Amino acid sequence: IFFGRLIIEKGILEYIEAAKIIKKKYPDVNFFIAGPTDQGVIGQSKFSISTLNIINENKKYVKYMGYIENYKKVFPKMDCLVSPSFSEGAGTSVMEAMLSGLFVVAYNNSGHKYVLNETPNKLVKYNNVNNLVKNIEKFIKLNNDQIKKFKTISYNKITSKFSSNVISYKFKEILDREYKII
């Protein structure tokens, strides 16, 4: 699944291109897209109506699910999140995917590297569809035991490093150092 804003910067076109290549080789593999098209949800980035047109033109390769506000409604039905985003901050959808037990294939940017480091998930050479395809294929070839093991590693990393309690404690440490609380 591609789960994010349907903007060029998030790699939606690369995801569709990878889906086209893989679907020809693995016709039983399904590719889904979930993301907003409403400018109020997208925010500062500009949504291009042509992005939605491209998705619609490629219906035999990808299925558009619309905007799904809560990842918990869709991630349990998926196996892998593909995030070919050109740049990322904390990578919320990647963390949510890992927490939900999805394998992640993502472009190697600072946010993805920070979150996926020390996990079996795949970081892909930036902005390269062929490498994206190769790494999605590596996921497809994993057996169920490997996937189960990888899901556990991902889940444990998110709960130990990025839980709200951990983040709250780290913020408190920073604030206490910076603004000696009396």
Side-chain angles (χ1 to χ4, degrees):
I1 187 170
F2 175 99
F3 192 88
R5 295 177 289 153
L6 304 182
I7 57 175
I8 304 302
E9 299 95 319
K10 293 294 181 184
I12 185 66
L13 300 180
E14 286 78 3
Y15 177 81
I16 293 169
E17 190 59 34
K20 288 166 66 173
I21 293 167
I22 292 171
K23 194 82 170 145
K24 289 175 184 171
K25 191 171 179 181
Y26 302 94
D28 293 335
V29 174
N30 295 306
F31 290 85
F32 297 92
I33 296 172
T37 58
D38 180 278
Q39 194 67 49
V41 177
I42 291 174
Q44 294 176 341
S45 296
K46 297 279 188 229
F47 170 72
S48 169
I49 195 68
S50 64
T51 305
L52 195 53
N53 289 342
I54 292 167
I55 291 169
N56 288 329
E57 289 167 5
N58 287 283
K59 282 183 179 178
K60 72 181 192 178
Y61 304 107
V62 296
K63 295 177 177 113
Y64 180 54
M65 302 170 76
Y67 174 51
I68 298 172
E69 190 171 335
N70 186 346
Y71 70 93
K72 292 177 182 178
K73 291 182 179 178
V74 68
F75 281 3
K77 300 172 189 170
M78 301 294 156
D79 298 305
C80 180
L81 173 81
V82 178
S83 182
S85 182
F86 300 164
S87 66
E88 211 50 65
T92 305
S93 64
V94 169
M95 286 191 276
E96 292 167 342
M98 292 169 68
L99 190 61
S100 300
L102 276 84
F103 191 83
V104 177
V105 176
Y107 276 164
N108 188 358
N109 59 50
S110 59
H112 287 153
K113 187 187 301 184
Y114 181 68
V115 174
L116 296 173
N117 188 30
E118 299 174 3
T119 72
N121 296 290
K122 298 293 180 190
L123 284 169
V124 177
K125 190 175 190 178
Y126 177 76
N127 203 14
N128 184 308
V129 173
N130 290 330
N131 281 339
L132 188 63
V133 168
K134 285 179 195 173
N135 282 281
I136 293 170
E137 286 181 319
K138 286 179 184 177
F139 167 74
I140 291 169
K141 293 175 183 176
L142 292 174
N143 66 44
N144 288 338
D145 289 337
Q146 290 170 308
I147 292 170
K148 186 177 179 180
K149 178 182 173 186
F150 293 167
K151 285 178 177 185
T152 301
I153 293 168
S154 292
Y155 176 84
N156 289 340
K157 174 157 188 187
I158 295 303
T159 56
S160 68
K161 302 266 186 191
F162 299 103
S163 73
S164 58
N165 289 338
V166 170
I167 300 299
S168 177
Y169 178 77
K170 294 290 184 188
F171 270 123
K172 184 180 179 325
E173 275 185 338
I174 292 167
L175 291 173
D176 285 351
R177 263 195 324 263
E178 289 292 319
Y179 304 102
K180 300 198 191 293
I181 298 178
I182 300 172

